[in-house]
Amino acid sequence: MRRIIFFYVVWSFFNIGTIAQGIHAHHEVEKDTNTLNHFFKKGRFYGHARSYMSATVNEGVLSDYHAWGIGAGIGYQTPMFFKHFEVGLSGFFMFNLKSSDLEKVDEKTNFQNRYEVGLFDIERPNDHEDLDRLEELFVKSHLGKKSNLTVGRQIPLTPFINPQDGRMRPTLVEAAVLELKEWKYLNLHAEYIWRISPRSTVRWFETGESIGIYPVGVGIDGKPSAYKGHIESEGIGIVGLNFQKNHWSLQFWNTYVENILNTRMSKIEWKSKTIGNKNWFLGGQIIQQNTIGNGGNEDPTKAYAQKNSGSNVFSGRVGQQATRFDWYLNGTRITAKGRYLMPREWGRETFYTFLPRERNEGFGDLTAITVNTYFKPEKHIKLELSGGYFQLPDVKNFALNKYGMPTYSQVNLGITYQFDKYLKGLNALLLVVRKDEIGETYQNDRFIFNKVNMTHLNLIINYHY
């Protein structure tokens, strides 16, 4: 029913001009360019259709899973009016065409599915049809030549809160976002977020309420975390600075989650002059984090972050970029000061060592080394082969290992094809992920299931129009 109402509203919005024009048609002699119909025709329609097939093959008798979801959405952005304003509106619906029983727990571990459930609504794993969301609804005000203020529902584009496009639909935020781009080399970004709709959901949540929708791991005492539904926060404030000149790029970001966490990131990147279609690349990040207020709740057992805690992260990259082949060597170190925390519901990690389908959030005393290679044999095809070694604390070191993840290796193989001509806008991605244990698991399948000794496959087809 909500889907029918949504598309009726969209249809009415787009056709109000036609209705108004019909009422006054008998007064027209020549084409009237002042009608609402003419105004809306000058706007921009856009849409997205998506098919996502996912499967996970676990070790031995541990449960395997599969799912196939499809969906489509439509959006519209008005032309500028009153010289400064635009309005945007979009929505998306999806269906679970076929899947395993995503609520069924594995008999040996008593754990539920991890990956496939995220294609749909993680709160209602076996709801196959009633999956729709009003995604964008914003007003954009243009300030100066390049600056703007956007208020309402929109796609987040910051290092720690971002779309994380690894399921059917991305993370979205309800926020006020200010972009100042009037200077030649310097851009400023400021935003305040008061509600979030994480990927793998169709609802909108208050800031604190959105933390804990995904699996919560264990507390520093080894007992299951109890912060879900108990976090208090007034919202998120973000300030960013981006300076680019010649071959250098500098970024500074501060993400303040009221009553929970403050995270600061400094990032510097250098790209050499291109010679013979090749250039060198260097990058470095420093991330410092500390608890704010009571970490989300006065009761430490229900807090997301413990009082007086924090973490330090260092990440670096060196590589070479070319017309047909890119490679990067990356390293990340999370010190033993404490767990690096950032709600997984909000976005993917910004570390250079990040490999799709796994995170290093929730860990301290971590060392990661990865290699990325990208080969473009022709303009329509891109091949990726990436691999990494991730050394983590012992799975029973609860203070530094939130999710009971052993030291592991990971290899990703990706093939992307971009269609052209009559199929322009269509692209397909095949991603195969293999993860294997290296660290001790104590013959306990709870440290293996959906974590290591597994193969994960994705076939994703997108059409943007």
Side-chain angles (χ1 to χ4, degrees):
M1 177 59 69
R2 287 184 301 164
R3 187 180 311 124
I4 295 173
I5 294 173
F6 168 73
F7 281 104
Y8 176 76
V9 170
V10 172
W11 179 88
S12 301
F13 179 75
F14 294 149
N15 287 276
I16 187 171
T18 303
I19 296 170
Q21 188 181 37
I23 294 173
H24 299 284
H26 63 281
H27 294 297
E28 291 188 314
V29 177
E30 297 180 358
K31 184 177 180 180
D32 186 352
T33 59
N34 294 319
T35 63
L36 285 174
N37 185 59
H38 180 77
F39 171 78
F40 284 119
K41 283 183 177 180
K42 292 168 63 178
R44 180 177 70 92
F45 283 94
Y46 54 93
H48 179 203
R50 186 172 176 90
S51 168
Y52 199 129
M53 301 178 70
S54 176
T56 302
V57 181
N58 280 293
E59 179 182 62
V61 298
L62 298 176
S63 300
D64 300 329
Y65 295 92
H66 66 272
W68 181 13
I70 62 168
I74 187 172
Y76 177 78
Q77 190 164 337
T78 70
M80 196 178 303
F81 57 94
F82 299 131
K83 297 184 180 181
H84 295 286
F85 299 96
E86 293 176 301
V87 174
L89 168 72
S90 73
F92 198 92
F93 65 89
M94 53 191 171
F95 298 94
N96 180 338
L97 283 185
K98 184 173 178 59
S99 72
S100 310
D101 182 348
L102 301 180
E103 285 187 311
K104 184 179 180 180
V105 298
D106 176 69
E107 292 183 359
K108 295 196 67 177
T109 65
N110 204 37
F111 283 174
Q112 287 186 301
N113 172 254
R114 176 183 178 188
Y115 293 100
E116 286 70 26
V117 68
L119 292 188
F120 312 108
D121 185 356
I122 199 169
E123 295 188 300
R124 300 174 296 163
N126 280 330
D127 191 332
H128 284 222
E129 296 183 0
D130 189 20
L131 300 167
D132 52 88
R133 179 170 67 170
L134 176 62
E135 297 198 329
E136 294 175 296
L137 182 59
F138 62 82
V139 176
K140 178 182 287 188
S141 174
H142 292 265
L143 312 171
K145 293 182 179 180
K146 299 179 181 179
S147 303
N148 57 73
L149 172 65
T150 306
V151 180
R153 297 183 176 183
Q154 55 195 288
I155 298 172
L157 297 172
T158 65
F160 301 103
I161 303 178
N162 49 65
Q164 55 174 344
D165 187 25
R167 299 294 187 270
M168 277 295 289
R169 299 307 298 150
T171 293
L172 295 158
V173 297
E174 201 167 272
V177 180
L178 176 65
E179 294 277 359
L180 298 177
K181 303 179 180 180
E182 300 304 309
W183 304 279
K184 185 175 182 180
Y185 304 116
L186 180 66
N187 295 337
L188 297 178
H189 178 104
E191 69 178 271
Y192 171 65
I193 299 171
W194 56 87
R195 289 214 299 172
I196 299 176
S197 182
R199 74 169 188 180
S200 308
T201 67
V202 296
R203 286 204 298 132
W204 286 83
F205 302 82
E206 303 297 327
T207 303
E209 184 188 13
S210 71
I211 301 174
I213 299 170
Y214 291 4
V216 295
V218 299
I220 60 175
D221 58 359
K223 298 179 180 179
S225 295
Y227 57 78
K228 181 179 180 180
H230 299 287
I231 300 300
E232 299 173 358
S233 177
E234 294 297 323
I236 306 166
I238 302 174
V239 177
L241 180 153
N242 187 349
F243 178 84
Q244 288 185 313
K245 186 175 182 180
N246 299 329
H247 302 287
W248 293 92
S249 171
L250 286 80
Q251 294 185 42
F252 302 95
W253 291 88
N254 193 85
T255 302
Y256 181 91
V257 186
E258 193 274 332
N259 196 40
I260 302 176
L261 282 173
N262 190 73
T263 305
R264 300 172 299 279
M265 184 185 79
S266 301
K267 180 177 180 179
I268 182 170
E269 295 181 334
W270 172 80
K271 183 184 294 186
S272 72
K273 183 178 179 180
T274 301
I275 301 176
N277 295 322
K278 295 180 180 180
N279 65 267
W280 287 93
F281 182 93
L282 295 172
Q285 301 173 346
I286 299 175
I287 298 168
Q288 299 169 299
Q289 189 175 76
N290 59 280
T291 302
I292 297 294
N294 55 36
N297 196 295
E298 292 183 358
D299 182 350
T301 65
K302 297 178 180 179
Y304 178 71
Q306 297 301 303
K307 287 184 179 180
N308 303 317
S309 65
S311 66
N312 294 321
V313 184
F314 304 90
S315 190
R317 162 174 283 185
V318 60
Q320 190 175 70
Q321 301 168 329
T323 304
R324 298 182 64 186
F325 183 75
D326 301 339
W327 65 266
Y328 302 98
L329 175 64
N330 317 288
T332 294
R333 172 64 181 167
I334 304 177
T335 71
K337 178 182 178 182
R339 296 174 171 180
Y340 164 76
L341 297 174
M342 186 60 64
R344 296 188 172 198
E345 295 84 355
W346 294 357
R348 53 169 282 181
E349 292 166 352
T350 188
F351 309 152
Y352 288 117
T353 50
F354 172 78
L355 293 179
R357 305 307 179 263
E358 192 50 81
R359 308 285 184 91
N360 290 153
E361 182 273 333
F363 306 117
D365 194 17
L366 173 146
T367 300
I369 299 174
T370 64
V371 176
N372 309 114
T373 61
Y374 304 95
F375 178 52
K376 295 156 278 188
E378 53 108 340
K379 75 173 187 175
H380 298 295
I381 300 176
K382 183 177 182 179
L383 306 177
E384 174 190 356
L385 178 60
S386 296
Y389 168 80
F390 299 84
Q391 180 178 298
L392 280 70
D394 188 86
V395 292
K396 294 185 178 181
N397 182 351
F398 308 118
L400 296 174
N401 196 326
K402 180 178 180 179
Y403 298 102
M405 187 81 177
T407 293
Y408 68 97
S409 64
Q410 179 173 340
V411 177
N412 284 17
L413 173 62
I415 304 173
T416 302
Y417 189 87
Q418 186 73 52
F419 292 85
D420 202 355
K421 297 181 180 179
Y422 299 110
L423 295 177
K424 187 175 181 179
L426 181 68
N427 66 75
L429 166 65
L430 173 64
L431 175 64
V432 181
V433 178
R434 177 67 192 181
K435 291 189 293 176
D436 288 285
E437 70 170 291
I438 296 177
E440 180 63 65
T441 58
Y442 300 96
Q443 292 78 52
N444 188 336
D445 289 327
R446 293 170 69 88
F447 300 131
I448 296 174
F449 179 63
N450 278 336
K451 296 175 181 177
V452 292
N453 300 347
M454 52 158 287
T455 301
H456 180 63
L457 304 99
N458 294 160
L459 175 60
I460 307 167
I461 301 174
N462 288 298
Y463 179 58
H464 292 274
Y465 53 93

